[in-house]
Amino acid sequence: MRITTITGKIIYIVGVFALILVLNVFVFARLLNPTFDVLVVAILNLAYVIVGVRSFRGADENRADPRPWWRATARPAAGFWIGGLLAALAFVSGVGAFSSDPENAFIPAIACISYALLAAFYLHSSIRLQGMDTAG
């Protein structure tokens, strides 16, 4: 399944985000302790992004073949914006982790690591895409 329209991409992003939020509030938070809850939600968020990246396609992209593993967006600018936002969220979460008491630092530390991994993925993708644009 390839998601190529802006409307489809927005529906995917908002719909899956809402699903994870509802599952977290009504299921995971009630059944799991906070440590496992944050880990489950972090894994679901990473999977949500990976499935989206594999499914989304730009107007000029090949829709039949799978994307290369490193490609996150159709164009470099989108990846720089998303990666920059994720890097800022990683920074804020990291500050929260370091300024928390040790017993309360786990949740912001997991958020920091998740955001940092996704930021690195998007920024790496954009750097490679930008190199492809200038080489050709």
Side-chain angles (χ1 to χ4, degrees):
M1 176 178 87
R2 303 289 184 236
I3 303 171
T4 58
T5 64
I6 296 294
T7 305
K9 292 174 184 180
I10 291 171
I11 289 170
Y12 174 82
I13 291 168
V14 173
V16 177
F17 180 81
L19 176 65
I20 293 171
L21 181 64
V22 167
L23 285 172
N24 186 32
V25 170
F26 294 110
V27 178
F28 304 144
R30 295 171 190 239
L31 297 177
L32 303 171
N33 70 37
T35 301
F36 289 120
D37 179 31
V38 73
L39 289 173
V40 168
V41 171
I43 290 167
L44 286 176
N45 280 323
L46 290 172
Y48 154 62
V49 171
I50 290 168
V51 169
V53 164
R54 298 294 119 218
S55 300
F56 288 9
R57 288 294 186 274
D60 58 344
E61 280 188 88
N62 179 344
R63 295 180 184 174
D65 297 333
R67 271 185 172 168
W69 69 267
W70 54 266
R71 190 168 187 161
T73 59
R75 299 248 160 78
F80 283 126
W81 279 102
I82 295 168
L85 174 64
L86 288 165
L89 290 170
F91 176 77
V92 170
S93 299
V95 169
F98 282 115
S99 64
S100 297
D101 294 329
E103 61 272 2
N104 297 328
F106 183 75
I107 291 173
I110 293 298
C112 176
I113 291 167
S114 299
Y115 289 139
L117 288 172
L118 290 172
F121 174 63
Y122 276 98
L123 293 172
H124 173 260
S125 170
S126 289
I127 290 168
R128 284 187 73 166
L129 285 171
Q130 191 173 35
M132 290 172 58
D133 285 347
T134 57

